[in-house]
Amino acid sequence: MVKAVWEATEYCAELSATDEFLIRKAPVTISVDDKDKKFGDNDPVFTGSVENLVAEGDLGEVAFQRTNSDQNVGEYLRVLTATYTENDNYEVQVNPGNFKITPQGITADAPSDVVYNGQEQKQAPVVTGEDGGRTLVEGVDYELTYSGDVTNAGTVTVTVTGIGNYTGTVDRAYEIIPAKVEIVVD
């Protein structure tokens, strides 16, 4: 609070030139908007609003940012905040925002066809994130399941399921082609 001496004017006839009173700080609220992004994407532009400012610029340029650097899928509560220039005329309350990182989808190429050889032939597809970025790692970013006979000739379907920072399911098929046998008769 500020102690001030008021000079009497025509609007304040009840005050004398020597009356003292307190000027209280004006309450200002900065509310930071909740934001989200997909795993692997750049952070969005953080935004918010400022309420009850007497004059624009009294708090300098209000900037919005996040206070953590986590990049994995999850919901991060109250990590979006604001910075501003302190001003003794204001009591500032910042309402922080939440930040959510959602999983990225997956894509997969069909595995190559193979020729029957009597052995189990689990062909793995090349799996990437939906953004076309890096090649993903089985057991870390996705899991594979096979349906169909993976030893004998026929069609095999491999199902790719995103895990961790990746989501979605993709089915791809490949063929185990019958081996050519040449029979020579004497």
Side-chain angles (χ1 to χ4, degrees):
M1 289 191 251
V2 176
K3 191 174 186 180
V5 176
W6 180 263
E7 292 184 25
T9 66
E10 62 185 275
Y11 301 109
C12 298
E14 298 154 11
L15 297 174
S16 72
T18 59
D19 283 342
E20 292 183 6
F21 61 96
L22 298 176
I23 299 174
R24 298 188 190 278
K25 292 182 177 188
V28 171
T29 302
I30 300 175
S31 298
V32 185
D33 299 330
D34 293 343
K35 292 288 183 174
D36 61 70
K37 73 171 186 173
K38 280 190 177 184
F39 173 77
D41 289 352
N42 292 328
D43 282 356
V45 173
F46 299 117
T47 58
S49 61
V50 181
E51 296 175 17
N52 301 325
L53 220 89
V54 173
E56 189 172 329
D58 277 356
L59 296 179
E61 184 177 331
V62 178
F64 302 96
Q65 68 274 330
R66 80 174 161 129
T67 60
N68 71 341
S69 59
D70 294 295
Q71 293 298 324
N72 288 321
V73 169
E75 187 161 359
Y76 303 96
L77 303 178
R78 305 174 57 80
V79 298
L80 302 182
T81 191
T83 57
Y84 56 92
T85 303
E86 292 287 336
N87 185 323
D88 290 338
N89 293 317
Y90 293 100
E91 187 70 41
V92 179
Q93 175 183 330
V94 176
N95 296 327
N98 301 322
F99 188 58
K100 186 175 185 178
I101 301 175
T102 58
Q104 185 180 143
I106 56 172
T107 61
D109 295 336
S112 299
D113 294 340
V114 293
V115 176
Y116 169 78
N117 67 5
Q119 304 293 315
E120 185 175 79
Q121 298 193 63
K122 291 185 174 180
Q123 298 295 95
V126 174
V127 181
T128 59
E130 69 185 348
D131 65 358
R134 69 181 182 89
T135 300
L136 304 184
V137 177
E138 183 179 359
V140 175
D141 302 316
Y142 65 91
E143 294 175 338
L144 297 176
T145 54
Y146 294 85
S147 58
D149 187 343
V150 294
T151 304
N152 294 308
T155 301
V156 177
T157 300
V158 59
T159 301
V160 182
T161 304
I163 59 174
N165 293 315
Y166 295 89
T167 189
T169 301
V170 177
D171 290 329
R172 295 293 182 253
Y174 63 95
E175 295 290 326
I176 298 178
I177 302 166
K180 291 185 181 183
V181 176
E182 186 175 319
I183 299 175
V184 177
V185 179
D186 288 336

PDB file of all heavy atoms in Angstrom, residues 36-44 46 66-76 79 99-104 134 164-166:
ATOM      1  N   ASP A  36      -1.461 -28.256 -26.123  1.00  0.00           N
ATOM      2  CA  ASP A  36      -1.035 -29.634 -26.332  1.00  0.00           C
ATOM      3  C   ASP A  36      -0.282 -29.741 -27.650  1.00  0.00           C
ATOM      4  O   ASP A  36      -0.301 -28.825 -28.463  1.00  0.00           O
ATOM      5  CB  ASP A  36      -2.224 -30.597 -26.314  1.00  0.00           C
ATOM      6  CG  ASP A  36      -3.234 -30.303 -27.402  1.00  0.00           C
ATOM      7  OD1 ASP A  36      -2.925 -30.535 -28.585  1.00  0.00           O
ATOM      8  OD2 ASP A  36      -4.350 -29.849 -27.073  1.00  0.00           O
ATOM      9  N   LYS A  37       0.398 -30.856 -27.804  1.00  0.00           N
ATOM     10  CA  LYS A  37       1.113 -31.155 -29.042  1.00  0.00           C
ATOM     11  C   LYS A  37       1.248 -32.660 -29.149  1.00  0.00           C
ATOM     12  O   LYS A  37       1.086 -33.380 -28.172  1.00  0.00           O
ATOM     13  CB  LYS A  37       2.485 -30.494 -29.080  1.00  0.00           C
ATOM     14  CG  LYS A  37       3.520 -31.141 -28.157  1.00  0.00           C
ATOM     15  CD  LYS A  37       4.899 -30.583 -28.408  1.00  0.00           C
ATOM     16  CE  LYS A  37       5.960 -31.327 -27.606  1.00  0.00           C
ATOM     17  NZ  LYS A  37       7.306 -30.894 -27.960  1.00  0.00           N
ATOM     18  N   LYS A  38       1.561 -33.128 -30.358  1.00  0.00           N
ATOM     19  CA  LYS A  38       1.849 -34.545 -30.565  1.00  0.00           C
ATOM     20  C   LYS A  38       3.321 -34.791 -30.273  1.00  0.00           C
ATOM     21  O   LYS A  38       4.168 -33.915 -30.514  1.00  0.00           O
ATOM     22  CB  LYS A  38       1.550 -34.967 -32.000  1.00  0.00           C
ATOM     23  CG  LYS A  38       0.103 -35.221 -32.260  1.00  0.00           C
ATOM     24  CD  LYS A  38      -0.076 -35.869 -33.619  1.00  0.00           C
ATOM     25  CE  LYS A  38      -1.552 -36.179 -33.806  1.00  0.00           C
ATOM     26  NZ  LYS A  38      -1.793 -36.881 -35.055  1.00  0.00           N
ATOM     27  N   PHE A  39       3.618 -35.976 -29.788  1.00  0.00           N
ATOM     28  CA  PHE A  39       5.002 -36.372 -29.535  1.00  0.00           C
ATOM     29  C   PHE A  39       5.834 -36.144 -30.793  1.00  0.00           C
ATOM     30  O   PHE A  39       5.422 -36.488 -31.895  1.00  0.00           O
ATOM     31  CB  PHE A  39       5.064 -37.852 -29.124  1.00  0.00           C
ATOM     32  CG  PHE A  39       6.455 -38.365 -29.018  1.00  0.00           C
ATOM     33  CD1 PHE A  39       7.238 -38.053 -27.923  1.00  0.00           C
ATOM     34  CD2 PHE A  39       7.003 -39.143 -30.017  1.00  0.00           C
ATOM     35  CE1 PHE A  39       8.544 -38.524 -27.823  1.00  0.00           C
ATOM     36  CE2 PHE A  39       8.305 -39.617 -29.938  1.00  0.00           C
ATOM     37  CZ  PHE A  39       9.075 -39.303 -28.837  1.00  0.00           C
ATOM     38  N   GLY A  40       6.998 -35.551 -30.628  1.00  0.00           N
ATOM     39  CA  GLY A  40       7.904 -35.309 -31.749  1.00  0.00           C
ATOM     40  C   GLY A  40       7.718 -33.958 -32.417  1.00  0.00           C
ATOM     41  O   GLY A  40       8.587 -33.510 -33.142  1.00  0.00           O
ATOM     42  N   ASP A  41       6.574 -33.297 -32.185  1.00  0.00           N
ATOM     43  CA  ASP A  41       6.341 -31.981 -32.778  1.00  0.00           C
ATOM     44  C   ASP A  41       7.042 -30.901 -31.959  1.00  0.00           C
ATOM     45  O   ASP A  41       7.353 -31.092 -30.784  1.00  0.00           O
ATOM     46  CB  ASP A  41       4.843 -31.661 -32.832  1.00  0.00           C
ATOM     47  CG  ASP A  41       4.097 -32.488 -33.870  1.00  0.00           C
ATOM     48  OD1 ASP A  41       4.744 -33.202 -34.655  1.00  0.00           O
ATOM     49  OD2 ASP A  41       2.850 -32.412 -33.878  1.00  0.00           O
ATOM     50  N   ASN A  42       7.241 -29.751 -32.568  1.00  0.00           N
ATOM     51  CA  ASN A  42       7.755 -28.591 -31.841  1.00  0.00           C
ATOM     52  C   ASN A  42       6.662 -28.061 -30.927  1.00  0.00           C
ATOM     53  O   ASN A  42       5.473 -28.247 -31.179  1.00  0.00           O
ATOM     54  CB  ASN A  42       8.187 -27.498 -32.808  1.00  0.00           C
ATOM     55  CG  ASN A  42       9.400 -27.887 -33.617  1.00  0.00           C
ATOM     56  OD1 ASN A  42      10.265 -28.614 -33.146  1.00  0.00           O
ATOM     57  ND2 ASN A  42       9.471 -27.408 -34.844  1.00  0.00           N
ATOM     58  N   ASP A  43       7.081 -27.382 -29.877  1.00  0.00           N
ATOM     59  CA  ASP A  43       6.106 -26.755 -28.981  1.00  0.00           C
ATOM     60  C   ASP A  43       5.278 -25.732 -29.751  1.00  0.00           C
ATOM     61  O   ASP A  43       5.806 -25.036 -30.626  1.00  0.00           O
ATOM     62  CB  ASP A  43       6.804 -26.046 -27.822  1.00  0.00           C
ATOM     63  CG  ASP A  43       7.267 -27.003 -26.737  1.00  0.00           C
ATOM     64  OD1 ASP A  43       6.981 -28.216 -26.836  1.00  0.00           O
ATOM     65  OD2 ASP A  43       7.907 -26.529 -25.775  1.00  0.00           O
ATOM     66  N   PRO A  44       4.001 -25.608 -29.398  1.00  0.00           N
ATOM     67  CA  PRO A  44       3.188 -24.559 -30.017  1.00  0.00           C
ATOM     68  C   PRO A  44       3.551 -23.195 -29.416  1.00  0.00           C
ATOM     69  O   PRO A  44       4.328 -23.111 -28.467  1.00  0.00           O
ATOM     70  CB  PRO A  44       1.763 -24.959 -29.615  1.00  0.00           C
ATOM     71  CG  PRO A  44       1.942 -25.658 -28.305  1.00  0.00           C
ATOM     72  CD  PRO A  44       3.263 -26.394 -28.421  1.00  0.00           C
ATOM     73  N   PHE A  46       2.791 -20.435 -26.999  1.00  0.00           N
ATOM     74  CA  PHE A  46       2.017 -20.372 -25.762  1.00  0.00           C
ATOM     75  C   PHE A  46       1.342 -19.011 -25.659  1.00  0.00           C
ATOM     76  O   PHE A  46       1.921 -17.983 -26.007  1.00  0.00           O
ATOM     77  CB  PHE A  46       2.911 -20.649 -24.558  1.00  0.00           C
ATOM     78  CG  PHE A  46       3.541 -22.019 -24.612  1.00  0.00           C
ATOM     79  CD1 PHE A  46       4.914 -22.169 -24.691  1.00  0.00           C
ATOM     80  CD2 PHE A  46       2.755 -23.157 -24.608  1.00  0.00           C
ATOM     81  CE1 PHE A  46       5.492 -23.427 -24.752  1.00  0.00           C
ATOM     82  CE2 PHE A  46       3.316 -24.428 -24.669  1.00  0.00           C
ATOM     83  CZ  PHE A  46       4.692 -24.552 -24.742  1.00  0.00           C
ATOM     84  N   ARG A  66       6.789 -22.551 -21.124  1.00  0.00           N
ATOM     85  CA  ARG A  66       6.626 -23.680 -20.198  1.00  0.00           C
ATOM     86  C   ARG A  66       7.862 -23.817 -19.345  1.00  0.00           C
ATOM     87  O   ARG A  66       8.969 -23.441 -19.744  1.00  0.00           O
ATOM     88  CB  ARG A  66       6.241 -24.953 -20.931  1.00  0.00           C
ATOM     89  CG  ARG A  66       7.266 -25.748 -21.620  1.00  0.00           C
ATOM     90  CD  ARG A  66       6.584 -27.032 -22.127  1.00  0.00           C
ATOM     91  NE  ARG A  66       7.345 -27.653 -23.169  1.00  0.00           N
ATOM     92  CZ  ARG A  66       7.694 -28.928 -23.169  1.00  0.00           C
ATOM     93  NH1 ARG A  66       7.325 -29.716 -22.187  1.00  0.00           N
ATOM     94  NH2 ARG A  66       8.382 -29.424 -24.154  1.00  0.00           N
ATOM     95  N   THR A  67       7.670 -24.363 -18.147  1.00  0.00           N
ATOM     96  CA  THR A  67       8.738 -24.425 -17.152  1.00  0.00           C
ATOM     97  C   THR A  67       9.445 -25.777 -17.127  1.00  0.00           C
ATOM     98  O   THR A  67      10.385 -25.943 -16.371  1.00  0.00           O
ATOM     99  CB  THR A  67       8.183 -24.141 -15.745  1.00  0.00           C
ATOM    100  OG1 THR A  67       7.191 -25.126 -15.437  1.00  0.00           O
ATOM    101  CG2 THR A  67       7.587 -22.749 -15.673  1.00  0.00           C
ATOM    102  N   ASN A  68       8.980 -26.735 -17.926  1.00  0.00           N
ATOM    103  CA  ASN A  68       9.650 -28.034 -17.977  1.00  0.00           C
ATOM    104  C   ASN A  68      10.110 -28.297 -19.406  1.00  0.00           C
ATOM    105  O   ASN A  68       9.700 -27.615 -20.334  1.00  0.00           O
ATOM    106  CB  ASN A  68       8.726 -29.154 -17.492  1.00  0.00           C
ATOM    107  CG  ASN A  68       7.599 -29.451 -18.459  1.00  0.00           C
ATOM    108  OD1 ASN A  68       7.263 -28.644 -19.319  1.00  0.00           O
ATOM    109  ND2 ASN A  68       6.997 -30.614 -18.336  1.00  0.00           N
ATOM    110  N   SER A  69      10.956 -29.310 -19.555  1.00  0.00           N
ATOM    111  CA  SER A  69      11.448 -29.635 -20.897  1.00  0.00           C
ATOM    112  C   SER A  69      11.098 -31.064 -21.291  1.00  0.00           C
ATOM    113  O   SER A  69      11.658 -31.589 -22.247  1.00  0.00           O
ATOM    114  CB  SER A  69      12.966 -29.422 -20.960  1.00  0.00           C
ATOM    115  OG  SER A  69      13.603 -30.246 -19.996  1.00  0.00           O
ATOM    116  N   ASP A  70      10.183 -31.694 -20.560  1.00  0.00           N
ATOM    117  CA  ASP A  70       9.787 -33.070 -20.863  1.00  0.00           C
ATOM    118  C   ASP A  70       9.281 -33.181 -22.293  1.00  0.00           C
ATOM    119  O   ASP A  70       8.585 -32.294 -22.786  1.00  0.00           O
ATOM    120  CB  ASP A  70       8.690 -33.534 -19.891  1.00  0.00           C
ATOM    121  CG  ASP A  70       9.197 -33.620 -18.471  1.00  0.00           C
ATOM    122  OD1 ASP A  70      10.067 -34.460 -18.218  1.00  0.00           O
ATOM    123  OD2 ASP A  70       8.717 -32.845 -17.626  1.00  0.00           O
ATOM    124  N   GLN A  71       9.635 -34.288 -22.953  1.00  0.00           N
ATOM    125  CA  GLN A  71       9.207 -34.510 -24.333  1.00  0.00           C
ATOM    126  C   GLN A  71       8.412 -35.797 -24.513  1.00  0.00           C
ATOM    127  O   GLN A  71       7.980 -36.095 -25.619  1.00  0.00           O
ATOM    128  CB  GLN A  71      10.427 -34.526 -25.265  1.00  0.00           C
ATOM    129  CG  GLN A  71      11.124 -33.186 -25.367  1.00  0.00           C
ATOM    130  CD  GLN A  71      10.237 -32.093 -25.935  1.00  0.00           C
ATOM    131  OE1 GLN A  71       9.412 -32.317 -26.809  1.00  0.00           O
ATOM    132  NE2 GLN A  71      10.372 -30.887 -25.414  1.00  0.00           N
ATOM    133  N   ASN A  72       8.241 -36.576 -23.451  1.00  0.00           N
ATOM    134  CA  ASN A  72       7.489 -37.823 -23.557  1.00  0.00           C
ATOM    135  C   ASN A  72       6.000 -37.586 -23.389  1.00  0.00           C
ATOM    136  O   ASN A  72       5.570 -36.586 -22.803  1.00  0.00           O
ATOM    137  CB  ASN A  72       7.977 -38.840 -22.531  1.00  0.00           C
ATOM    138  CG  ASN A  72       9.339 -39.380 -22.884  1.00  0.00           C
ATOM    139  OD1 ASN A  72       9.632 -39.622 -24.051  1.00  0.00           O
ATOM    140  ND2 ASN A  72      10.187 -39.558 -21.888  1.00  0.00           N
ATOM    141  N   VAL A  73       5.220 -38.536 -23.884  1.00  0.00           N
ATOM    142  CA  VAL A  73       3.765 -38.457 -23.780  1.00  0.00           C
ATOM    143  C   VAL A  73       3.366 -38.340 -22.317  1.00  0.00           C
ATOM    144  O   VAL A  73       3.885 -39.047 -21.451  1.00  0.00           O
ATOM    145  CB  VAL A  73       3.124 -39.708 -24.427  1.00  0.00           C
ATOM    146  CG1 VAL A  73       1.646 -39.789 -24.103  1.00  0.00           C
ATOM    147  CG2 VAL A  73       3.350 -39.695 -25.933  1.00  0.00           C
ATOM    148  N   GLY A  74       2.465 -37.434 -22.037  1.00  0.00           N
ATOM    149  CA  GLY A  74       1.958 -37.261 -20.678  1.00  0.00           C
ATOM    150  C   GLY A  74       1.264 -35.930 -20.525  1.00  0.00           C
ATOM    151  O   GLY A  74       1.294 -35.083 -21.418  1.00  0.00           O
ATOM    152  N   GLU A  75       0.621 -35.756 -19.379  1.00  0.00           N
ATOM    153  CA  GLU A  75      -0.019 -34.485 -19.059  1.00  0.00           C
ATOM    154  C   GLU A  75       0.775 -33.833 -17.945  1.00  0.00           C
ATOM    155  O   GLU A  75       0.986 -34.424 -16.886  1.00  0.00           O
ATOM    156  CB  GLU A  75      -1.475 -34.693 -18.635  1.00  0.00           C
ATOM    157  CG  GLU A  75      -2.194 -33.386 -18.466  1.00  0.00           C
ATOM    158  CD  GLU A  75      -3.704 -33.519 -18.488  1.00  0.00           C
ATOM    159  OE1 GLU A  75      -4.203 -34.640 -18.650  1.00  0.00           O
ATOM    160  OE2 GLU A  75      -4.369 -32.491 -18.350  1.00  0.00           O
ATOM    161  N   TYR A  76       1.231 -32.634 -18.209  1.00  0.00           N
ATOM    162  CA  TYR A  76       2.073 -31.896 -17.281  1.00  0.00           C
ATOM    163  C   TYR A  76       1.269 -30.724 -16.728  1.00  0.00           C
ATOM    164  O   TYR A  76       0.945 -29.784 -17.453  1.00  0.00           O
ATOM    165  CB  TYR A  76       3.349 -31.437 -17.998  1.00  0.00           C
ATOM    166  CG  TYR A  76       4.106 -32.608 -18.596  1.00  0.00           C
ATOM    167  CD1 TYR A  76       3.936 -32.971 -19.928  1.00  0.00           C
ATOM    168  CD2 TYR A  76       4.955 -33.372 -17.800  1.00  0.00           C
ATOM    169  CE1 TYR A  76       4.611 -34.067 -20.463  1.00  0.00           C
ATOM    170  CE2 TYR A  76       5.634 -34.462 -18.331  1.00  0.00           C
ATOM    171  CZ  TYR A  76       5.455 -34.803 -19.663  1.00  0.00           C
ATOM    172  OH  TYR A  76       6.116 -35.886 -20.183  1.00  0.00           O
ATOM    173  N   VAL A  79       2.496 -26.236 -15.777  1.00  0.00           N
ATOM    174  CA  VAL A  79       3.860 -25.958 -16.244  1.00  0.00           C
ATOM    175  C   VAL A  79       3.923 -24.800 -17.232  1.00  0.00           C
ATOM    176  O   VAL A  79       5.013 -24.415 -17.653  1.00  0.00           O
ATOM    177  CB  VAL A  79       4.522 -27.213 -16.865  1.00  0.00           C
ATOM    178  CG1 VAL A  79       4.650 -28.327 -15.839  1.00  0.00           C
ATOM    179  CG2 VAL A  79       3.773 -27.686 -18.094  1.00  0.00           C
ATOM    180  N   PHE A  99      -0.007 -28.565 -19.856  1.00  0.00           N
ATOM    181  CA  PHE A  99       0.560 -28.931 -21.152  1.00  0.00           C
ATOM    182  C   PHE A  99       0.455 -30.432 -21.322  1.00  0.00           C
ATOM    183  O   PHE A  99       0.813 -31.187 -20.424  1.00  0.00           O
ATOM    184  CB  PHE A  99       2.016 -28.479 -21.228  1.00  0.00           C
ATOM    185  CG  PHE A  99       2.633 -28.630 -22.582  1.00  0.00           C
ATOM    186  CD1 PHE A  99       2.082 -27.997 -23.684  1.00  0.00           C
ATOM    187  CD2 PHE A  99       3.771 -29.390 -22.766  1.00  0.00           C
ATOM    188  CE1 PHE A  99       2.656 -28.117 -24.939  1.00  0.00           C
ATOM    189  CE2 PHE A  99       4.359 -29.522 -24.016  1.00  0.00           C
ATOM    190  CZ  PHE A  99       3.788 -28.879 -25.103  1.00  0.00           C
ATOM    191  N   LYS A 100      -0.040 -30.852 -22.487  1.00  0.00           N
ATOM    192  CA  LYS A 100      -0.245 -32.272 -22.742  1.00  0.00           C
ATOM    193  C   LYS A 100       0.484 -32.668 -24.028  1.00  0.00           C
ATOM    194  O   LYS A 100       0.363 -31.990 -25.043  1.00  0.00           O
ATOM    195  CB  LYS A 100      -1.739 -32.564 -22.877  1.00  0.00           C
ATOM    196  CG  LYS A 100      -2.072 -34.021 -23.010  1.00  0.00           C
ATOM    197  CD  LYS A 100      -3.589 -34.208 -23.023  1.00  0.00           C
ATOM    198  CE  LYS A 100      -3.963 -35.664 -23.024  1.00  0.00           C
ATOM    199  NZ  LYS A 100      -5.423 -35.845 -22.992  1.00  0.00           N
ATOM    200  N   ILE A 101       1.228 -33.778 -23.947  1.00  0.00           N
ATOM    201  CA  ILE A 101       1.880 -34.339 -25.122  1.00  0.00           C
ATOM    202  C   ILE A 101       1.165 -35.652 -25.432  1.00  0.00           C
ATOM    203  O   ILE A 101       1.108 -36.544 -24.581  1.00  0.00           O
ATOM    204  CB  ILE A 101       3.383 -34.563 -24.894  1.00  0.00           C
ATOM    205  CG1 ILE A 101       4.061 -33.232 -24.535  1.00  0.00           C
ATOM    206  CG2 ILE A 101       4.027 -35.188 -26.130  1.00  0.00           C
ATOM    207  CD1 ILE A 101       5.520 -33.345 -24.164  1.00  0.00           C
ATOM    208  N   THR A 102       0.587 -35.728 -26.623  1.00  0.00           N
ATOM    209  CA  THR A 102      -0.169 -36.911 -27.019  1.00  0.00           C
ATOM    210  C   THR A 102       0.690 -37.805 -27.917  1.00  0.00           C
ATOM    211  O   THR A 102       1.623 -37.336 -28.561  1.00  0.00           O
ATOM    212  CB  THR A 102      -1.464 -36.509 -27.757  1.00  0.00           C
ATOM    213  OG1 THR A 102      -1.118 -35.730 -28.907  1.00  0.00           O
ATOM    214  CG2 THR A 102      -2.381 -35.702 -26.853  1.00  0.00           C
ATOM    215  N   PRO A 103       0.366 -39.105 -27.973  1.00  0.00           N
ATOM    216  CA  PRO A 103       1.164 -40.015 -28.799  1.00  0.00           C
ATOM    217  C   PRO A 103       1.040 -39.695 -30.282  1.00  0.00           C
ATOM    218  O   PRO A 103       0.029 -39.188 -30.745  1.00  0.00           O
ATOM    219  CB  PRO A 103       0.558 -41.397 -28.519  1.00  0.00           C
ATOM    220  CG  PRO A 103      -0.300 -41.249 -27.328  1.00  0.00           C
ATOM    221  CD  PRO A 103      -0.690 -39.803 -27.240  1.00  0.00           C
ATOM    222  N   GLN A 104       2.092 -40.029 -31.000  1.00  0.00           N
ATOM    223  CA  GLN A 104       2.110 -39.873 -32.451  1.00  0.00           C
ATOM    224  C   GLN A 104       1.677 -41.191 -33.086  1.00  0.00           C
ATOM    225  O   GLN A 104       1.978 -42.267 -32.572  1.00  0.00           O
ATOM    226  CB  GLN A 104       3.536 -39.528 -32.906  1.00  0.00           C
ATOM    227  CG  GLN A 104       3.632 -39.223 -34.372  1.00  0.00           C
ATOM    228  CD  GLN A 104       5.052 -38.879 -34.791  1.00  0.00           C
ATOM    229  OE1 GLN A 104       5.440 -39.269 -35.873  1.00  0.00           O
ATOM    230  NE2 GLN A 104       5.814 -38.164 -33.995  1.00  0.00           N
ATOM    231  N   ARG A 134      12.087 -40.537 -37.914  1.00  0.00           N
ATOM    232  CA  ARG A 134      13.026 -41.637 -37.726  1.00  0.00           C
ATOM    233  C   ARG A 134      12.349 -43.004 -37.770  1.00  0.00           C
ATOM    234  O   ARG A 134      11.162 -43.127 -37.521  1.00  0.00           O
ATOM    235  CB  ARG A 134      13.774 -41.468 -36.409  1.00  0.00           C
ATOM    236  CG  ARG A 134      12.902 -41.656 -35.176  1.00  0.00           C
ATOM    237  CD  ARG A 134      13.719 -41.444 -33.896  1.00  0.00           C
ATOM    238  NE  ARG A 134      12.897 -41.658 -32.726  1.00  0.00           N
ATOM    239  CZ  ARG A 134      12.728 -42.830 -32.123  1.00  0.00           C
ATOM    240  NH1 ARG A 134      13.306 -43.905 -32.599  1.00  0.00           N
ATOM    241  NH2 ARG A 134      11.965 -42.937 -31.055  1.00  0.00           N
ATOM    242  N   GLY A 164       4.232 -46.751 -25.879  1.00  0.00           N
ATOM    243  CA  GLY A 164       5.012 -45.620 -25.363  1.00  0.00           C
ATOM    244  C   GLY A 164       4.542 -44.314 -25.961  1.00  0.00           C
ATOM    245  O   GLY A 164       3.395 -43.910 -25.794  1.00  0.00           O
ATOM    246  N   ASN A 165       5.409 -43.648 -26.710  1.00  0.00           N
ATOM    247  CA  ASN A 165       5.099 -42.356 -27.304  1.00  0.00           C
ATOM    248  C   ASN A 165       4.363 -42.467 -28.635  1.00  0.00           C
ATOM    249  O   ASN A 165       4.129 -41.458 -29.293  1.00  0.00           O
ATOM    250  CB  ASN A 165       6.381 -41.546 -27.494  1.00  0.00           C
ATOM    251  CG  ASN A 165       6.996 -41.145 -26.171  1.00  0.00           C
ATOM    252  OD1 ASN A 165       6.304 -40.698 -25.271  1.00  0.00           O
ATOM    253  ND2 ASN A 165       8.292 -41.315 -26.035  1.00  0.00           N
ATOM    254  N   TYR A 166       4.021 -43.692 -29.029  1.00  0.00           N
ATOM    255  CA  TYR A 166       3.363 -43.924 -30.323  1.00  0.00           C
ATOM    256  C   TYR A 166       2.060 -44.676 -30.106  1.00  0.00           C
ATOM    257  O   TYR A 166       1.918 -45.464 -29.172  1.00  0.00           O
ATOM    258  CB  TYR A 166       4.293 -44.694 -31.268  1.00  0.00           C
ATOM    259  CG  TYR A 166       5.505 -43.872 -31.618  1.00  0.00           C
ATOM    260  CD1 TYR A 166       6.653 -43.919 -30.849  1.00  0.00           C
ATOM    261  CD2 TYR A 166       5.471 -42.991 -32.698  1.00  0.00           C
ATOM    262  CE1 TYR A 166       7.752 -43.127 -31.146  1.00  0.00           C
ATOM    263  CE2 TYR A 166       6.564 -42.196 -33.007  1.00  0.00           C
ATOM    264  CZ  TYR A 166       7.696 -42.270 -32.228  1.00  0.00           C
ATOM    265  OH  TYR A 166       8.774 -41.475 -32.525  1.00  0.00           O
TER     266      TYR A 166
END
